[in-house]
Amino acid sequence: MKKIFLSLFLFLCAVYSPAQETVIVLSPGLKPAKGSETAFHEGLAHVVKEDKSGFIDTEGNIVIPCKYHAASDFSEGVARVWQDGKCFFIDKSGKQAVPGKFDYAEDFSGGLAMVQHGIKCGYIDKTGNLVVPCTYIEAGSFSDGLAMVGKDGKYGYIDKSGRVVIPFQYPQADDFHEGLACVEQNDKWGFIDKTGKDVIPFTFTLVSGFNEGLALYLDDRKCGFIDNSGETVIPNRYFSSRQFKEGLAAVLREKRWGFINKRGRQVISCKYVESYDFSEGLVAVRRDSFWGYLDKRGNEVVPFKYLNATSFSDGHAIVRSEDNWLIIENPLTSPLE
């Protein structure tokens, strides 16, 4: 009987003990670019060296040299880079992938990218063809087949041919997410569908787009969540919150972050100084001065020993030890050795 209990104890220790990570040390001078919680996108990570941008793969190899003044992450097979005051698109070999250079551009989304010449915005396809002329003062990304555009101080929506499908009538608006877009009327926010019909009343102080079936709302300086019928699913009782990712959302109480599920039940206590979103089954959180990773039950999977961290993507994350920037593998998805 003692052997059985001992075996069970050892098994539980193995399940809940922090994992040993596979580590790759980045070349001297390389570090992840600021501004992105997730380092790897489509297999490559945007890195900087001596204030110039390039890209590495998940083995730490430099695949696109650090020679650009700035860059974005890869999206739909291409990345934006800036050089000599102009923006253009490169592929994963580092070659220019889309003809043309622009004053500004956004990532490709749904096969089109917003580009800017002077102060006017339009859209190109991946052949560089300007499919929507640069006539707008502001423009968002295509999502659910529509894009938010602005002119004369009002916002509406166009389709991929450039046809206006929802008139310019909103003082503020956001992109479509899961078939709905949040827009403002009379200093209150609500939601419209892709025909322009009001589907959730304009009663909120502030809202986010829908993600995983729920949208974040703010009223009386507290955050909660509604469903796509406008019903309150989780009351506004949090000082701040992030959207749901992989079924859990980070919420802030008493200056500490934790996580709730879609029923509003607290599944990870609010005791962390900083938090990202769940990705690939793990979340990067900061406890005191150090970052580590938790699973969805709040178990410590990667120890709290890093000075900085990114979320896992493509099975990898970039973290900062006391001496080096490192690539670590996701212990939940990496092959057993």
Side-chain angles (χ1 to χ4, degrees):
M1 183 65 72
K2 289 183 178 179
K3 289 184 178 180
I4 294 175
F5 280 120
L6 179 59
S7 297
L8 180 59
F9 173 76
L10 292 174
F11 170 75
L12 290 174
C13 286
V15 170
Y16 292 106
S17 293
Q20 297 297 314
E21 315 95 86
T22 301
V23 173
I24 298 171
V25 180
L26 292 191
S27 299
L30 281 181
K31 59 183 178 180
K34 293 181 179 179
S36 178
E37 294 179 7
T38 304
F40 286 94
H41 296 261
E42 300 185 2
L44 298 181
H46 173 202
V47 294
V48 295
K49 183 177 183 179
E50 298 177 350
D51 294 326
K52 293 294 182 70
S53 292
F55 293 85
I56 60 171
D57 63 19
T58 56
E59 298 297 317
N61 302 309
I62 298 174
V63 295
I64 299 175
C66 294
K67 62 181 181 179
Y68 300 107
H69 292 116
S72 72
D73 298 316
F74 272 86
S75 175
E76 297 191 6
V78 296
R80 295 172 289 150
V81 294
W82 281 260
Q83 204 166 42
D84 300 325
K86 292 292 183 179
C87 176
F88 57 98
F89 293 88
I90 61 171
D91 62 21
K92 292 182 181 180
S93 71
K95 296 179 180 178
Q96 185 168 348
V98 179
K101 295 186 177 182
F102 313 96
D103 293 322
Y104 181 74
E106 285 288 354
D107 291 334
F108 275 89
S109 177
L112 299 180
M114 185 277 282
V115 297
Q116 187 173 324
H117 285 294
I119 63 170
K120 294 296 182 71
C121 303
Y123 294 86
I124 61 169
D125 60 22
K126 287 189 178 178
T127 69
N129 182 38
L130 192 65
V131 296
V132 178
C134 291
T135 58
Y136 300 107
I137 295 298
E138 190 173 345
S141 296
F142 273 92
S143 178
D144 291 352
L146 300 180
M148 178 272 295
V149 290
K151 67 177 183 180
D152 301 326
K154 295 290 185 180
Y155 294 91
Y157 294 85
I158 60 172
D159 64 18
K160 290 184 178 181
S161 70
R163 181 176 64 92
V164 176
V165 295
I166 298 175
F168 296 88
Q169 57 185 309
Y170 303 107
Q172 294 190 76
D174 198 6
D175 297 333
F176 272 88
H177 298 278
E178 300 183 1
L180 299 177
C182 51
V183 295
E184 183 200 26
Q185 280 187 342
N186 301 320
D187 296 323
K188 291 290 186 179
W189 288 81
F191 289 83
I192 59 173
D193 64 17
K194 292 199 288 185
T195 69
K197 178 183 177 182
D198 298 347
V199 293
I200 296 178
F202 293 82
T203 60
F204 300 102
T205 303
L206 197 61
V207 289
S208 73
F210 275 89
N211 198 67
E212 296 188 2
L214 297 179
L216 181 65
Y217 76 92
L218 177 72
D219 269 333
D220 298 324
R221 299 184 179 181
K222 295 287 183 68
C223 297
F225 291 87
I226 58 173
D227 63 19
N228 57 15
S229 69
E231 292 296 319
T232 299
V233 175
I234 300 171
N236 54 319
R237 56 191 178 213
Y238 303 103
F239 290 105
S240 185
S241 180
R242 298 167 68 94
Q243 289 184 315
F244 275 90
K245 297 289 177 66
E246 297 188 0
L248 299 179
V251 293
L252 183 69
R253 272 182 167 173
E254 303 300 328
K255 299 182 180 180
R256 291 292 185 269
W257 290 91
F259 288 83
I260 59 172
N261 64 18
K262 291 185 178 181
R263 297 188 298 275
R265 185 171 71 85
Q266 193 86 40
V267 295
I268 298 176
S269 299
C270 291
K271 58 183 181 181
Y272 299 100
V273 178
E274 197 171 350
S275 172
Y276 293 156
D277 296 320
F278 268 91
S279 177
E280 298 186 353
L282 296 176
V283 64
V285 293
R286 181 162 69 90
R287 185 177 65 195
D288 299 323
S289 298
F290 294 96
W291 289 81
Y293 294 82
L294 307 176
D295 67 15
K296 292 184 179 181
R297 293 184 178 182
N299 298 313
E300 181 182 325
V301 177
V302 177
F304 288 85
K305 61 181 182 180
Y306 295 113
L307 299 176
N308 214 325
T310 63
S311 296
F312 280 102
S313 179
D314 297 327
H316 297 78
I318 297 180
V319 296
R320 173 70 177 174
S321 70
E322 291 186 3
D323 301 315
N324 300 291
W325 285 98
L326 313 168
I327 298 174
I328 61 172
E329 291 186 1
N330 186 337
L332 300 186
T333 59
S334 59
L336 294 175
E337 295 183 357

